[in-house]
Amino acid sequence: DRHSSSAGGAEAEPDGLVFIGKEEDIKKSQRITAKVDGREIVVFYHEGKFHALDSRCYHEGGPLCQGEIEDIDGQACIVCPWHKFKITLETGEGLYEGINPLEPSLTPKWQSKGVKQRIHKVTIDNGNVYVNPPDLSVSFDSDYYADKYKIGGELAM
Ligand code: FES
């Protein structure tokens, strides 16, 4: 029996998940922006994996959806187009290049500032890409800009 009677009419979606797009389409375009709970997010397809992050950079709200992806110390990072902050796609960590003054060589090394950018869990189901709605009981620096640029929110700028 092919009728799954879901009230509301639209395609049945896995519980609570937000539909982003077709897997094939995102693989082709490599990135797509979407709204999840009113916030702007971006989904990247990079080296065989999907990654979803808040689209507004945790630093000052730059559009990560327009950034370039770079490999830094073996980690794929999105580079913010505004001030070139680097954020790991996998974990949302902000990276910075620091020098340890106690080290004789004084070679800068990439270090983590911790998770700054909210990442979103991606689920692939039946050729469709979904993300989980954000768990707002945990907060991240990028939430400030996600709220500020929230769709439907008043923005006096
Ligand atoms: Fe992204 Fe400043 S806004 S680096």
Side-chain angles (χ1 to χ4, degrees):
D1 114 50
R2 42 202 291 274
H3 295 280
S4 62
S5 58
S6 65
E11 260 178 66
E13 293 178 3
D15 261 0
L17 300 184
V18 180
F19 174 71
I20 303 300
K22 293 271 173 209
E23 188 178 0
E24 280 316 308
D25 293 344
I26 303 172
K27 281 182 175 173
K28 260 182 233 140
S29 65
Q30 310 263 290
R31 60 180 70 187
I32 186 174
T33 54
K35 309 276 178 276
V36 173
D37 278 9
R39 65 204 289 145
E40 297 178 14
I41 69 145
V42 55
V43 177
F44 294 106
Y45 180 72
H46 180 72
E47 292 180 347
K49 287 177 86 173
F50 289 94
H51 303 275
L53 301 90
D54 278 353
S55 181
R56 292 287 170 175
C57 176
Y58 73 91
H59 176 223
E60 287 183 356
L64 297 183
C65 54
Q66 294 167 23
E68 308 257 322
I69 294 172
E70 266 179 31
D71 182 285
I72 293 176
D73 260 3
Q75 303 188 84
C77 292
I78 182 72
V79 181
C80 178
W82 281 8
H83 316 100
K84 310 294 176 203
F85 277 29
K86 293 155 178 72
I87 301 168
T88 64
L89 290 183
E90 189 77 34
T91 59
E93 279 168 273
L95 298 187
Y96 71 101
E97 218 172 9
I99 287 180
N100 179 351
L102 302 176
E103 230 179 52
S105 66
L106 290 182
T107 314
K109 286 207 175 80
W110 288 102
Q111 334 217 10
S112 173
K113 305 185 216 180
V115 178
K116 296 293 185 179
Q117 195 75 17
R118 183 185 286 278
I119 56 164
H120 301 271
K121 185 170 184 289
V122 178
T123 302
I124 315 292
D125 185 73
N126 207 12
N128 295 320
V129 176
Y130 303 90
V131 304
N132 284 60
D135 172 8
L136 298 176
S137 68
V138 193
S139 55
F140 297 95
D141 287 10
S142 65
D143 289 343
Y144 176 79
Y145 293 100
D147 276 349
K148 187 167 171 176
Y149 288 93
K150 209 155 197 171
I151 308 311
E154 280 319 311
L155 271 189
M157 286 197 57

